[in-house]
Amino acid sequence: MADKKYWKGLEEINHASTPKKTADEFPDELPVISELGKADALASNRRDFLKMMGFSVTAATLAASCEMPVRKSIPYLVKPDEITPGVANYYASTYAEGGDYCSVLVKTREGRPIKIEGNKLSKISKGGSSAAVQASVLSLYDNYRLQGPHIEGEEVSWRNADEAIKGELESIAARGGKIRILSSTILSPSTKQVIKDFIAKYPTTKHVVYDAVSCSGLLSANEVTLGKRVIPNYRFDVADVIVSVGADFLGTWISPVEFAAQYSSRRKVTKTNKRMNRHVQIESYFSLSGTNADKRIMVKPSEENAALLHLYNAVASKTGGQSVTAGQLDDQHKAEITKTADELVAARGKSIVVCGINDVNAQLITNAINQLLGNYGTTIDLVNYSKQRKGDDAAMNELVSELSTVDALIVLDANPVYNYPDVDNKLKQGLEKVKLTVSMNLKKDETSEFCKYLCPTPHYLEAWNDAMPKNGFYSITQPTISPLFRTRSAAESLLKWSGTDVSYYDYIRDFWKQNIFPKQSRFSSFDVLWDRAVHDGVLDIEVSGELTVGNIDAGSAGAALAKKSGGEGMDLVVYEKVATRDGKFSDNPWLQELPDPVSKVAWDNYACVSKKTAEKLGLKTALNKINESVGTETDLLTVSANGYEITIPALVQPGTPDDTLAIAVGYGRDIAGKTGFIGQNVYPFLKYQSSGISNIVSGVTATHVAGKTFKIAQTQMHHSIHDGLNERRIVKETTLAEYNENPFAGNEDRAFVQKHLKSLYPPYENLKNGHHWEMAIDLNTCIGCSACVVACTAENNVPVVGKDEVRRSREMHWLRIDRYFAGDETNPSVIYQPMLCQHCDNAPCENVCPVSATNHSSEGLNQMAYNRCFGTRYCANNCPYKVRRFNWFDYLGADSFFKGTIFDNDKDPHEMADDLTRMVLNPDVTVRSRGVMEKCSFCAQRIQEGKLKAKKEARPLKETDIVPACQDACPTNAITFGDINNEKTEVFKIANDERGFKVLEEIHTLPSITYLTKVRNKDKSEA
């Protein structure tokens, strides 16, 4: 595959050269530094922008202000035993947001959480994390959080709120009125028991679980198939063949951190392990899973049902199953699906089929395929089944219908006014008629506006809780900081209102003592069990009782599904982004500024269309952008369906089927700090059908809005080191068959390059002694999830710059994920490549700095002396990898941030408390100032910490002593760091692997990062 051509965007394959920077990089309307006058004017403008953000990430730039106030250190009168100033403490805890789960370690400094790490003791998340998990610490210091209970908009004491709510509940219960609790998925078994106790006190209560992005169809199908409304434990780590129909299991579906770890464990090919799993993705939008698939079958959204039915028939014909009626599908897709079925049958008992279609019949057909293949009990575990998604669309639909007769509604961590499809406003009208409405959430949202009582809950880092994500797997959440505001856990509030005067901590302990301790024999004392669970963060108990697979009526399910297959006109598929997910995290600027792995767009949602569809709709600006320059402008579309209409920018996205729109949910919020309102809300397009809320809409009308354009922040061509006409091989790949024949496959040119390298640089002899730090990145297991990018932001105080600055190529991320397309532009393959400072031994940046601000250490690190740098940017111009970032600090005020949005926004900037907003900063990392260059340091502070720890313990340095933030966050273990001078380290072994190569090695910069050639499990016809 040496002659394969790669491209980062359609700009490259449709133009003769790499596009130049946009003309508005230095626009007339922005004052240049010389026009800003006094330093206080700059500080004032920047503060306006940072106040508008309302998050402590802004402290990274505030701290560097020219008028930084003097703050005196105050010593402890009585120092807590567990706190040593300057030394971090770690506490095991649990991230459980709705159905999302991850066991974590929380790094604290002087009593404040500053960083989230994965917990390697967890058998579920296995030390990995996601972008949302990494960014969750920022939400702790959000000034938009509710700071105390409210009654009809007035802040009150908890006693007054409790007395009023309890009085109304008792009055309603006495007359037999309806009480409803509406929540998202609750993983806490203790909280579920609290709700049961509450129902026992108020018997007219009913608990309804609603998830904005639902797996209700899957749950309903499993209730039929397995006799229990649960999700089985999918084991991607033991599957030889994986087929996904519309399920982005690596990005957003059910448990992506867990699935990513399992999936990648079967893609680490070596000379001694030349086998890897085979992944086929059938989908209607370019998902993270689709970009990592060995084979991607692209269908229209309305054809997903037909594709699933044809897959079932092809498998059934080879296994003696009952055939079903299938929808229309073209011959090419039929042939591809038949071939996929052959692969599944050849891997009976070692294959797995998953489906993301929220339809009970689609899930029944999927279950039938897995049953025919003998996957239950092997790749699909029926003992440790999952409890991560419990939303019931039918129950939610019933609640909306009966809301006008409900007397009390308690909303717990749910926001249906925003994310429930309600074009007719039945939900809002019903809420206005409910006598007692209570919102228990972290902050104000669209639903809390309709609630009389606001009872704010704490951030998960401030409170005790527990979780049971799977049968037999338990986790503890413990507070890592005293509550910042007058908040109280929802479970404790329910206890108070049901007349139980006990703290939630005591309740959890008692629940574990009564319900969990008796199920195990490992610990003879409950106190020992509890202390171990709190220390480790996790507790696993062996359970028995495998679910039984019943008979599946595939004929009836297939007939019902076939009626929904196909469709004329344009389709809309609604999906979740990897970062902002269902919209709950849309007010987190770390996640908003994170470019989407596929589209590379930050700060907005948009309508993805194919190039052919763009031409059909007359999207001239979008097409000009492809043909002329990187640009920032695109056309607007008016999209209409199901009585709802929005105007949204269009983005030509390779991998999108013709006559299809793909739009992300989670945007266009009305109440979500200062970032959540970005984009357009597409939830109202959806509609409840017989078995659930489908994410696919047919009969959509899309119209080009003439004369108007929209500026997006798309980073796909920013800091590009690749040229479509250049023969330099930035990324390398091969096929599994070629690798089995030749371990150097795809990397054959490296030996030639190394043999003919010539250099004017003298060799660094001193680097052969002592430590020489290097990194290795496996392109085969990097899935592009970007958890490493957010982890780097949190660890190194990287500032958020806002949409306008990102649009001008001024994002500050030290680590970026370059996404390369290859092959057919209609349905290309994708390679992700993390790109950061390469710490070159022959670093071109070092010899052009006039003040030696960038220099080489005796351990091979390319260092930055920030107090020397005065911003010539010679180093950035001389860097062939384009990984150095300049602090412009021309981020201006709030008005700048709102430029480019479709609608003007006149909300006033939110005042912030400096003491709170500084608390997320890592004190071990220098905060940079205006005019200074910065870039990846290989987490130099962690290197020093590891060396000091080994020195204090009088032992040699171990490989596990130093783990950079990016490596620590990675759920797939794609990143390895260590000392290349130590032949026993993993990084040494990888650097000398046949697949190992270094980017732009031919220019002899001697980079310190080795990449492993990507291996695809393809046959010759697909190569």
Side-chain angles (χ1 to χ4, degrees), residues 308-318 321-326 341 365 369:
L308 181 63
L309 290 170
H310 278 283
L311 180 65
Y312 169 82
N313 280 341
V315 171
S317 67
K318 296 173 175 61
Q322 170 191 4
S323 63
V324 299
T325 303
I365 290 297
I369 295 174

Side-chain angles (χ1 to χ4, degrees), residues 547-689:
L547 298 176
T548 303
V549 182
N551 293 324
I552 303 172
D553 186 357
S556 298
L561 193 62
K563 294 178 181 179
K564 301 179 182 180
S565 300
E568 299 296 328
M570 188 164 287
D571 291 344
L572 166 66
V573 57
V574 170
Y575 67 97
E576 285 184 281
K577 279 193 178 182
V578 170
T580 50
R581 301 298 296 271
D582 64 5
K584 185 173 183 179
F585 310 124
S586 62
D587 58 354
N588 190 311
W590 281 356
L591 296 177
Q592 283 283 12
E593 191 143 303
L594 180 67
D596 179 76
V598 183
S599 69
K600 309 306 292 183
V601 176
W603 288 107
D604 276 302
N605 64 343
Y606 35 83
C608 296
V609 297
S610 68
K611 184 179 178 182
K612 184 176 180 180
T613 301
E615 294 170 344
K616 180 180 177 181
L617 294 174
L619 303 179
K620 296 181 181 179
T621 303
L623 294 172
N624 287 339
K625 169 182 172 292
I626 294 171
N627 293 325
E628 293 181 0
S629 69
V630 64
T632 54
E633 291 190 332
T634 187
D635 287 286
L636 290 170
L637 280 177
T638 297
V639 182
S640 304
N642 292 336
Y644 182 67
E645 182 176 285
I646 61 170
T647 299
I648 193 167
L651 177 71
V652 177
Q653 175 63 62
T656 305
D658 293 336
D659 296 322
T660 297
L661 304 175
I663 309 177
V665 296
Y667 291 80
R669 294 189 56 184
D670 296 324
I671 304 173
K674 281 291 176 180
T675 63
F677 70 89
I678 291 285
Q680 298 297 308
N681 184 11
V682 294
Y683 279 113
F685 282 126
L686 308 183
K687 200 171 183 179
Y688 174 78
Q689 297 174 344

Side-chain angles (χ1 to χ4, degrees), residues 104-324:
V104 299
L105 294 180
V106 184
K107 179 182 180 181
T108 67
R109 283 292 301 269
E110 289 75 58
R112 57 188 176 90
I114 62 171
K115 181 70 174 62
I116 305 297
E117 313 284 9
N119 185 359
K120 291 179 171 55
L121 296 179
S122 171
K123 294 181 181 178
I124 295 178
S125 52
K126 297 181 180 179
S129 64
S130 66
V133 172
Q134 289 293 326
S136 63
V137 67
L138 184 59
S139 299
L140 171 65
Y141 305 112
D142 183 1
N143 286 278
Y144 283 91
R145 287 177 53 191
L146 286 166
Q147 300 185 15
H150 290 68
I151 300 178
E152 295 183 333
E154 296 294 326
E155 192 165 354
V156 298
S157 67
W158 274 108
R159 170 183 280 186
N160 290 342
D162 290 340
E163 289 177 352
I165 294 171
K166 187 176 180 182
E168 288 200 50
L169 284 171
E170 290 175 346
S171 176
I172 292 169
R175 64 175 185 269
K178 295 179 181 178
I179 301 173
R180 299 292 181 265
I181 297 175
L182 174 63
S183 76
S184 59
T185 294
I186 296 173
L187 296 181
S188 167
S190 297
T191 301
K192 291 177 183 178
Q193 185 60 47
V194 168
I195 292 174
K196 290 179 181 178
D197 294 345
F198 184 89
I199 294 173
K201 171 70 174 178
Y202 304 107
T204 58
T205 302
K206 183 179 178 181
H207 181 203
V208 176
V209 182
Y210 164 68
D211 292 328
V213 179
S214 173
C215 289
S216 184
L218 176 57
L219 292 168
S220 297
N222 289 334
E223 190 172 21
V224 174
T225 305
L226 306 176
K228 199 164 188 174
R229 192 177 175 80
V230 295
I231 296 173
N233 182 22
Y234 295 110
R235 295 289 306 276
F236 293 93
D237 54 333
V238 295
D240 291 341
V241 178
I242 300 167
V243 176
S244 170
V245 182
D248 185 13
F249 62 92
L250 294 179
T252 60
W253 190 69
I254 301 180
S255 188
V257 174
E258 174 191 10
F259 295 159
Q262 294 178 355
Y263 177 85
S264 63
S265 69
R266 294 294 311 279
R267 300 185 81 78
K268 290 184 177 293
V269 294
T270 63
K271 287 183 295 184
T272 57
N273 176 33
K274 294 188 175 183
R275 297 185 62 191
M276 60 185 287
N277 57 24
R278 161 83 165 164
H279 174 198
V280 179
Q281 187 82 10
I282 304 172
E283 63 181 11
S284 55
Y285 73 96
F286 223 155
S287 70
L288 191 69
S289 299
T291 60
N292 285 280
D294 297 303
K295 171 70 175 179
R296 180 175 183 263
I297 302 174
M298 183 179 67
V299 297
K300 282 185 63 178
S302 56
E303 294 175 338
E304 283 188 353
N305 290 335
L308 181 63
L309 290 170
H310 278 283
L311 180 65
Y312 169 82
N313 280 341
V315 171
S317 67
K318 296 173 175 61
T319 57
Q322 170 191 4
S323 63
V324 299

